[in-house]
Amino acid sequence: MSTDKLIEESRTYLMNTYNRFPVVFVRGRGMKLYDSDGKEYIDFLGGIAVNNLGHCHPKVVVALQKQAQKLIHVSNYFHIEPQIKLGKMLCQNSFADQVFFCNSGAEANEAAIKLARKYAKENMGEDKYEIITALNSFHGRTMATITATGQEKFQKAFTPLLPGFKYVPFGDVGAVAAAITDKTCAVMMEPIQAEGGVNMPPEDYFRELKALLEDRGLLLILDEVQTGMGRTGKLFAYEHYGIEPDIMTLAKALGGGMPIGAMLATKKVAESFSPGDHASTFGGNPLACAAGIASLEAILEDGWLLSSCQRMGDYFRKGLADLQKKYPFIKDIRGKGLIIGVELEFDAGDIVKEALREGYIINYTMQKVLRFVPPLIVTDEEIDGLLDTLERIFDKRYSA
Ligand SMILES: Cc1ncc(COP(=O)(O)O)c(C=O)c1O
């Protein structure tokens, strides 16, 4: 089928929920994607922070092939071998003692909200259900997670929202302290706000927040859906802050491209869930978990990928800082490892379109922030190629 016909049928048969570019990707390998007309692109979006190992990583492909021949799905009424193995690996490499598997970031956050509320009812009192989240946060698109998301634009068409959520400015411990009431049970935050514009917290924020919550006996839920699995140069972003959460959520890169989410917790908190409290038909599916195991093994191998992520992130930010000297309309460059935001003085949409025409997949968020979340395997040559392209695009805009 021709590309035009595919796009026409896409518009006919699929609900109009995405602003899609007129491109159909049919093949990928490492940093590269190929469209239905054979054009090659370098991918600095990585399926929105999903393809941390690049496209079709050979270890993930082989794991999927092997598992598909053995067992694709079985019910959670039974113990599932790849699920046990992935759960053990995640616990052994994090603060957590136990894991609940689901299929997406929103579902992982739903599970976290339910666990926090159940734990609070059992251990803090009947009336402890309020969760404090941050303005400009993003936690997903289900009803509970759009409520947790501190951005009205995702909420206003779908009111009434869920009761029991409060919002505070990100990075302000005093604001959290002031928002705590007799009903508060937890605070839920992203370690770095991703969709909200790649916003970094002040250096000591999470240490001070954790101390406050410990003092008040409240839970810390970290949403590492976008920052987890090596994105910031550590396996989990909380490791940069010298603290540990009580609950953490993962998805995106967890399955090496396969849909899988996870909610991890300390034993003390996890014990509040008992059979019947929460479930998912597909959660921890053998195929998704096999991909997750292969993917986590590849990320951890020799620590090579994590140190390269830090180095490439620094290299990328330095190149962007050089561009900033030439183009004063670049207001700010932020991020850690390979989650990078570049705030412009104007809407970044045209830059993204122009880059796509030039064969680079980039993205923007909050209108004015170019966001780069490439596979962690990105090289300095590929970063140089994108920086040259951005320079050409910026020059055009500057001289226009
Ligand atoms: C921090 C964060 N939490 C949750 C989600 C929702 O994940 P999903 O789209 O898999 O439901 C996202 C997605 O962008 C995210 O960035």
Side-chain angles (χ1 to χ4, degrees):
M1 201 182 284
S2 72
T3 301
D4 285 349
K5 182 77 182 148
L6 277 170
I7 291 171
E8 186 194 314
E9 295 207 347
S10 174
R11 290 189 177 132
T12 305
Y13 295 113
L14 305 179
M15 284 195 202
N16 187 23
T17 57
Y18 302 100
N19 255 325
R20 299 182 200 260
F21 295 101
V23 176
V24 182
F25 288 119
V26 293
R27 198 161 56 84
R29 195 87 190 157
M31 280 293 293
K32 291 179 179 159
L33 277 171
Y34 300 87
D35 73 12
S36 47
D37 298 320
K39 179 174 167 183
E40 183 183 287
Y41 299 77
I42 311 282
D43 185 6
F44 276 79
L45 177 60
I48 321 182
V50 166
N51 302 101
N52 283 14
L53 295 168
H55 294 278
C56 297
H57 188 281
K59 287 197 172 143
V60 176
V61 172
V62 169
L64 279 170
Q65 284 167 335
K66 278 193 183 156
Q67 186 60 44
Q69 282 171 345
K70 264 190 2 197
L71 184 66
I72 293 179
H73 179 78
V74 68
S75 153
N76 274 311
Y77 281 131
F78 306 95
H79 297 277
I80 299 172
E81 207 179 333
Q83 189 181 125
I84 300 162
K85 186 167 177 197
L86 182 58
K88 184 175 172 186
M89 285 174 76
L90 286 171
C91 289
Q92 286 177 337
N93 286 285
S94 74
F95 74 97
D97 301 307
Q98 289 191 323
V99 183
F100 173 85
F101 283 108
C102 52
N103 311 287
S104 67
E107 277 183 53
N109 286 332
E110 285 273 347
I113 292 164
K114 284 180 70 176
L115 180 62
R117 284 191 168 179
K118 180 124 195 282
Y119 174 85
K121 264 190 206 299
E122 288 173 357
N123 296 279
M124 301 176 186
E126 250 320 290
D127 229 18
K128 289 274 212 181
Y129 58 83
E130 225 165 58
I131 298 178
I132 298 171
T133 69
L135 291 166
N136 286 328
S137 58
F138 185 83
H139 299 294
R141 301 292 198 138
T142 62
M143 283 309 299
T145 57
I146 58 166
T147 308
T149 292
Q151 299 192 58
E152 210 196 326
K153 69 180 181 212
F154 295 114
Q155 303 170 333
K156 61 176 189 287
F158 307 104
T159 51
L161 300 174
L162 214 65
F165 286 82
K166 266 185 153 179
Y167 313 102
V168 294
F170 184 56
D172 181 348
V173 180
V176 177
I180 292 172
T181 69
D182 290 348
K183 295 185 167 45
T184 309
C185 69
V187 168
M188 178 166 167
M189 298 272 167
E190 295 158 85
I192 295 170
Q193 288 191 327
E195 300 300 308
V198 191
N199 303 318
M200 303 292 296
E203 188 78 20
D204 288 335
Y205 177 64
F206 277 101
R207 218 162 336 127
E208 288 172 10
L209 178 63
K210 176 76 185 181
L212 171 72
L213 298 182
E214 268 180 357
D215 184 51
R216 306 289 176 93
L218 306 177
L219 300 177
L220 175 62
I221 306 170
L222 283 184
D223 177 345
E224 293 240 18
V225 166
Q226 189 149 164
T227 53
M229 310 316 294
R231 170 64 44 200
T232 64
K234 300 228 184 248
L235 190 57
F236 305 113
Y238 73 77
E239 296 170 41
H240 292 287
Y241 302 140
I243 55 129
E244 289 182 345
D246 302 286
I247 300 175
M248 173 173 76
T249 54
L250 299 173
K252 288 200 183 272
L254 178 58
M258 287 291 286
I260 180 170
M263 189 267 290
L264 294 76
T266 59
K267 191 163 169 38
K268 181 172 147 219
V269 177
E271 272 173 353
S272 285
F273 266 176
S274 30
D277 280 336
H278 200 50
S280 162
T281 299
F282 287 119
N285 164 283
L287 206 56
C289 285
I293 294 163
S295 179
L296 184 52
E297 278 172 355
I299 291 173
L300 293 175
E301 243 167 34
D302 305 331
W304 168 84
L305 202 63
L306 296 181
S307 56
S308 178
C309 170
Q310 302 210 15
R311 261 185 297 113
M312 288 302 112
D314 290 345
Y315 183 78
F316 199 168
R317 269 185 295 277
K318 175 164 182 323
L320 288 164
D322 289 342
L323 283 186
Q324 190 180 27
K325 285 181 204 138
K326 191 168 164 197
Y327 306 105
F329 56 74
I330 298 181
K331 280 177 67 180
D332 195 20
I333 299 160
R334 339 183 246 267
K336 202 162 197 72
L338 285 166
I339 176 165
I340 298 177
V342 175
E343 187 172 342
L344 305 178
E345 267 172 8
F346 47 81
D347 193 300
D350 286 345
I351 307 277
V352 172
K353 276 190 210 147
E354 192 70 26
L356 190 68
R357 271 194 290 274
E358 301 257 354
Y360 283 92
I361 303 164
I362 61 171
N363 167 256
Y364 73 118
T365 183
M366 301 302 265
Q367 297 301 322
K368 294 182 177 174
V369 183
L370 289 172
R371 179 182 37 169
F372 306 98
V373 278
L376 311 185
I377 57 168
V378 68
T379 62
D380 42 5
E381 287 92 3
E382 285 152 347
I383 291 169
D384 288 344
L386 174 64
L387 290 170
D388 287 349
T389 303
L390 285 176
E391 188 165 7
R392 262 202 318 279
I393 296 171
F394 287 162
D395 265 344
K396 246 193 257 172
R397 180 179 172 97
Y398 220 44
S399 55

